[in-house]
Amino acid sequence: MEPEKKPENSQYINVVFNLPLNSVFTYALPEKGNYEGLDLTGRRVSAPFGRRDLTGWIIGHRDSLPEAVKEGKAVHRIVDDQPLFKKDMLELARWISNYYLCSLGEALAVMLPGGRKEKDLPPLGLGGDKNVGGRSEIVLSDEQAAALKEIRKREKDFYYLHGITGSGKTEVFLHLAEDVLVKGQSVLYLVPEISLTHQLVDSLSSRFQTPIAVLHSHLTPSQRLKEWRRIQSGEARLVIGARSAIFAPLEKLGLIILDEEHENSYKSGSSPRYHGRQVAMKRCRREGAVLLMGSATPSVEAWHLMEKGTICSLKLTSRPTGGSLPSISIVDMKNSKSLLSQELIQSMDQVLKKKKQIILFLNRRGHSYFFHCKSCGYEMKCRQCSVSLTYHKNRKRMICHYCGYQEKPVTVCPDCGSVDVGYAGFGTEHVEEQVRQIFLEARIARLDMDAAKKKGVLQETISNFRKGEIDILLGTQMVAKGLNFPGVSLVGIVLADTGLSLPDFRAGERTFSLIVQVAGRAGRYSDDGEVLIQTFRPENPAIALAASGEWEDFYHYERDAREVLGFPPFSRLIRIVHRGKNVNKPLESLELLTHRFRQVGIEDVMGPAECPLGVIAGNYRYNTLVRSRNFSEEHHLIQRVLEDTAVPSGVYREIDVDPVQLL
Ligand code: ADP
Ligand code: ZN
Ligand code: ZN
């Protein structure tokens, strides 16, 4: 890359675009406007690109055109009056582009808000008000106080509050946030889901007097830009947000809080596939800030770093509000004919008699999982994906949960004409039907993506449940995350095995953490909390050790298994997927790439193979997995091979560094 020049005499600017191209483009300054001597780095430009006009980012100035270029086209106009990013952010973007193997333009695109030219800019320099409020009446428990004291020593960069739900992690977060704000520094507070940002804004704005900015992907581009400017100007020094907020342009960053560290939503599902935790670690190291994570079920990676001492682990084992851990028992479903076991039904009955509440959890929505023919074994699958259709009884439809494809339900086998057909497996809709048949008097509500589609249903159901107007709440993950209901004394996990058979080495970890998280919803405020786990695999370690409370043992088990198999955290993975509508092209081009990897001496290459989800929305998918034990060296090789191996037209390449799922 050409050296970046000072703006004084420069007539040209270097621009990158949100394209999978690692090139920097040089343009002349716009004909209109007086930009002489001005440093334009960090602003957006509208520029001619081929036959199109694109918006790009100015990453520097230069005095002359590159030798190969004869005539420098001029950009149409400079979009921003003030830079969107400074040198620090540009460096972070370069790191993202290097680590996650994307172009600098793609990295900037994921970090910076889109949106048009802004109209009203906030006044600059409102920050620095040290009167931030933040006092609370709460007297910290001994464990909380000890954790706080340890972090204040600041002997490490990374800390982890490892504590059960309700152990008061938030209170420790807020004490530290206050410390940092009072010093005139800024705080970034990340939560795994957008819905949780609203709750947090409410509770933090009543506690702190300092202005709060919010960043997440559901803001409109202009809302995002507005928040961006409030943060940049120093007006808001406390930022709350979901994954993408990790790029908040805070200056004097003192603390990043990353709540529910184990959540996969911190990992981006599209290019660049960055992980919020990874970027947080990078930012904290670069900017001298503290990273404070928290969860009841750390990821195996984080747990490993705690064992090694890279992350300082602080344990919270009790609940300051009282309320002991619930008693957890396993119900073996192998001999059960029905969906709900006698044990679960009896417990539910008792809880209802005591006028307490119940949560039933099942990680699968819809009515039945798949349609199959008992004569020929035919399974009804999506026409465009290689997954079974789910029967949605309420909507009288068979639906693909990956692409949304729908069909009418059938009563005869489309393949052999047999009428001996049935629906197998079950989802939340089916559970609801059963529960209504058994508990005629109970007030029942279902909460899953289907139910929550209607606007307001989510908030309303949760609020009604909290008020005690619902006896049994059943649903998917939505009922498991971040919610506290004082009246709940029984949690039933209808089937704990749903995720275990997925072809993914993290299936066990995910099942374990889900059980522990769901179980944490019971008995937070009382001593008679009970959790019943229905399963066909009671002996599976993820289930058995979650239930027995031997959590450390689960991590040891999982660590040993990963070490034997050579999976993370004992190696790093890079996954390359080629997909396309054509059957052959994706595989052929990936074969070529995989061959090149082996040629340059990368040893541990698996593939190419069909992805477990071999077709999604009509796209054939193949993947190659590189497993690396000396990541920094091989990463470089991989980067070079990827840059040198063109992707044929009609094929799309996905690059996933440190993938969290392999489907
Ligand atoms: P976590 O984040 O670990 O799930 P929270 O921080 O939400 O737990 O705390 C659970 C409940 O305990 C909250 O209602 C909180 O106000 C309360 N709490 C936290 N710390 C204390 C304390 N030291 N004394 C009394 N109540 C506390
Ligand atoms: Zn058939
Ligand atoms: Zn589909």
Side-chain angles (χ1 to χ4, degrees):
M1 199 177 287
E2 292 287 318
E4 307 292 352
K5 288 284 159 60
K6 287 267 170 261
E8 280 91 61
N9 317 308
S10 67
Q11 314 197 23
Y12 298 101
I13 46 179
N14 281 337
V15 177
V16 292
F17 296 99
N18 181 15
L19 297 169
L21 287 174
N22 263 324
S23 332
V24 176
F25 298 86
T26 302
Y27 287 91
L29 289 171
E31 278 137 24
K32 277 188 221 147
N34 185 11
Y35 292 106
E36 230 160 275
L38 215 56
D39 188 352
L40 298 172
T41 309
R43 303 189 204 200
R44 287 171 298 173
V45 283
S46 161
F49 188 88
R51 284 187 210 157
R52 293 178 288 173
D53 286 334
L54 291 180
T55 301
W57 293 273
I58 304 175
I59 60 164
H61 288 256
R62 53 185 300 155
D63 291 345
S64 58
L65 287 171
E67 272 175 23
V69 182
K70 293 212 175 60
E71 185 197 357
K73 280 189 188 162
V75 298
H76 297 309
R77 62 191 181 90
I78 310 285
V79 177
D80 303 301
D81 295 335
Q82 288 175 30
L84 274 177
F85 60 86
K86 297 193 182 157
K87 202 164 147 269
D88 259 8
M89 279 301 220
L90 186 57
E91 273 166 27
L92 187 64
R94 284 194 204 282
W95 176 80
I96 297 266
S97 115
N98 187 47
Y99 186 88
Y100 288 105
L101 304 169
C102 65
S103 72
L104 183 58
E106 289 174 301
L108 286 167
V110 80
M111 292 168 67
L112 302 173
R116 304 181 177 284
K117 186 184 168 74
E118 61 258 82
K119 290 193 192 77
D120 306 304
L121 285 175
L124 283 168
L126 280 183
D129 181 2
K130 306 254 160 86
N131 179 18
V132 294
R135 297 273 157 240
S136 84
E137 303 297 303
I138 288 180
V139 181
L140 292 183
S141 70
D142 290 349
E143 281 182 332
Q144 286 172 317
L148 194 59
K149 197 170 156 206
E150 189 59 39
I151 302 167
R152 279 177 174 154
K153 283 193 211 154
R154 193 56 179 92
E155 285 167 356
K156 293 245 154 121
D157 294 329
F158 309 143
Y159 293 88
Y160 205 114
L161 287 180
H162 182 185
I164 53 170
T165 33
S167 60
K169 295 186 285 294
T170 315
E171 202 49 49
V172 179
F173 292 158
L174 297 187
H175 271 76
L176 280 159
E178 189 193 338
D179 281 6
V180 169
L181 290 168
V182 166
K183 272 195 281 182
Q185 296 178 318
S186 52
V187 176
L188 180 50
Y189 196 143
L190 297 178
V191 289
E193 263 162 66
I194 293 170
S195 62
L196 298 173
T197 59
H198 308 312
Q199 293 178 30
L200 198 59
V201 170
D202 286 349
S203 74
L204 292 207
S205 50
S206 63
R207 177 144 169 175
F208 294 108
Q209 272 133 42
T210 192
I212 298 173
V214 181
L215 281 180
H216 55 66
S217 55
H218 282 189
L219 300 179
T220 64
S222 45
Q223 280 173 331
R224 239 182 109 72
L225 191 53
K226 198 169 156 212
E227 293 299 86
W228 191 265
R229 293 300 189 198
R230 288 181 66 223
I231 300 164
Q232 256 189 335
S233 70
E235 181 203 326
R237 288 189 292 127
L238 175 53
V239 176
I240 294 173
R243 180 180 65 231
S244 62
I246 189 59
F247 301 116
L250 287 160
E251 305 223 340
K252 290 187 277 178
L253 183 65
L255 172 69
I256 298 181
I257 296 164
L258 194 120
D259 200 6
E260 308 291 357
E261 172 276 328
H262 65 281
E263 288 284 353
N264 282 339
S265 51
Y266 283 122
K267 170 86 174 174
S268 167
S270 54
S271 178
R273 293 174 164 73
Y274 68 93
H275 198 299
R277 178 187 59 225
Q278 194 76 24
V279 182
M281 287 178 145
K282 186 71 194 173
R283 268 197 91 164
C284 284
R285 282 254 158 90
R286 289 174 47 110
E287 297 171 51
V290 170
L291 172 60
L292 177 55
M293 296 165 271
S295 170
T297 52
S299 65
V300 172
E301 277 90 346
W303 195 82
H304 186 66
L305 291 178
M306 289 191 254
E307 256 197 330
K308 288 206 306 192
T310 313
I311 300 176
C312 173
S313 160
L314 303 158
K315 289 207 165 52
L316 300 181
T317 56
S318 59
R319 289 172 165 160
T321 50
S324 47
L325 278 176
S327 78
I328 306 184
S329 37
I330 291 184
V331 184
D332 188 344
M333 297 298 280
K334 265 183 235 120
N335 301 314
S336 168
K337 284 247 150 45
S338 55
L339 229 156
L340 303 176
S341 61
Q342 279 313 309
E343 286 95 326
L344 182 54
I345 293 173
Q346 271 163 24
S347 292
M348 288 174 74
D349 201 40
Q350 280 163 17
V351 169
L352 291 174
K353 284 200 180 104
K354 280 191 281 182
K355 304 266 176 252
K356 292 271 200 139
Q357 290 171 301
I358 299 165
I359 289 178
L360 288 186
F361 171 81
L362 179 66
N363 200 9
R364 204 192 259 162
R365 64 204 166 86
H367 188 271
S368 314
Y369 198 42
F370 55 78
F371 168 94
H372 73 144
C373 169
K374 288 170 193 160
S375 303
C376 76
Y378 173 87
E379 258 180 45
M380 202 147 143
K381 298 210 162 164
C382 174
R383 292 233 177 115
Q384 317 179 65
C385 309
S386 45
V387 293
S388 302
L389 295 178
T390 301
Y391 177 42
H392 286 245
K393 199 173 179 183
N394 295 348
R395 283 148 76 183
K396 297 193 180 59
R397 275 271 183 276
M398 304 285 295
I399 300 177
C400 171
H401 283 183
Y402 283 89
C403 74
Y405 170 82
Q406 304 194 358
E407 252 183 56
K408 272 202 189 131
V410 292
T411 48
V412 278
C413 173
D415 219 33
C416 75
S418 163
V419 290
D420 190 13
V421 296
Y423 291 94
F426 52 85
T428 43
E429 258 185 48
H430 201 161
V431 177
E432 180 182 12
E433 205 175 86
Q434 297 270 300
V435 173
R436 285 194 192 281
Q437 276 165 21
I438 302 171
F439 300 99
L440 297 171
E441 313 268 280
R443 297 162 300 173
I444 299 160
R446 176 167 61 90
L447 203 54
D448 52 28
M449 248 158 68
D450 300 310
K453 253 188 205 136
K454 270 198 222 123
K455 225 182 159 170
V457 165
L458 177 67
Q459 307 302 15
E460 197 186 314
T461 311
I462 288 174
S463 130
N464 289 348
F465 190 57
R466 183 165 285 132
K467 280 188 270 177
E469 287 163 12
I470 294 167
D471 303 311
I472 305 173
L473 179 65
L474 66 100
T476 54
Q477 238 109 306
M478 277 187 186
V479 302
K481 304 237 162 111
L483 303 170
N484 317 312
F485 304 106
V488 173
S489 74
L490 172 66
V491 170
I493 299 178
V494 180
L495 190 60
D497 328 19
T498 46
L500 273 182
S501 43
L502 291 177
D504 191 327
F505 71 93
R506 284 196 179 82
E509 174 183 355
R510 233 167 264 152
T511 300
F512 170 82
S513 100
L514 204 54
I515 294 174
V516 174
Q517 297 287 338
V518 178
R521 305 291 139 220
R524 285 189 55 165
Y525 299 86
S526 58
D527 288 327
D528 58 355
E530 195 189 354
V531 178
L532 282 183
I533 304 172
Q534 301 193 140
T535 175
F536 289 103
R537 302 195 212 174
E539 65 302 323
N540 184 290
I543 295 174
L545 298 173
S548 66
E550 294 163 288
W551 298 350
E552 296 261 318
D553 289 359
F554 173 76
Y555 285 106
H556 290 141
Y557 166 83
E558 194 64 28
R559 178 195 58 198
D560 293 348
R562 302 256 182 115
E563 192 161 18
V564 169
L565 297 170
F567 274 123
F570 298 94
S571 65
R572 304 295 277 267
L573 301 178
I574 297 184
R575 184 191 192 214
I576 321 282
V577 172
H578 277 199
R579 62 172 155 86
K581 302 271 182 203
N582 180 292
V583 195
N584 303 318
K585 269 191 181 179
L587 177 59
E588 281 163 9
S589 54
L590 189 60
E591 265 166 357
L592 216 70
L593 178 72
T594 310
H595 180 67
R596 291 278 294 132
F597 282 147
R598 296 199 170 106
Q599 263 183 343
V600 298
I602 300 165
E603 279 170 17
D604 200 352
V605 184
M606 295 172 268
E610 192 182 329
C611 297
L613 289 172
V615 193
I616 293 182
N619 281 283
Y620 296 90
R621 305 170 74 239
Y622 292 89
N623 67 171
T624 283
L625 203 59
V626 179
R627 187 164 49 181
S628 183
R629 286 174 201 258
N630 52 356
F631 191 65
S632 40
E633 276 173 40
E634 291 200 331
H635 183 271
H636 197 67
L637 278 177
I638 291 166
Q639 189 167 26
R640 264 197 7 231
V641 172
L642 285 171
E643 277 172 17
D644 293 347
T645 319
V647 190
S649 71
V651 175
Y652 186 82
R653 177 185 283 169
E654 296 170 13
I655 301 172
D656 197 347
V657 178
D658 304 328
V660 297
Q661 55 97 353
L662 303 173
L663 294 179

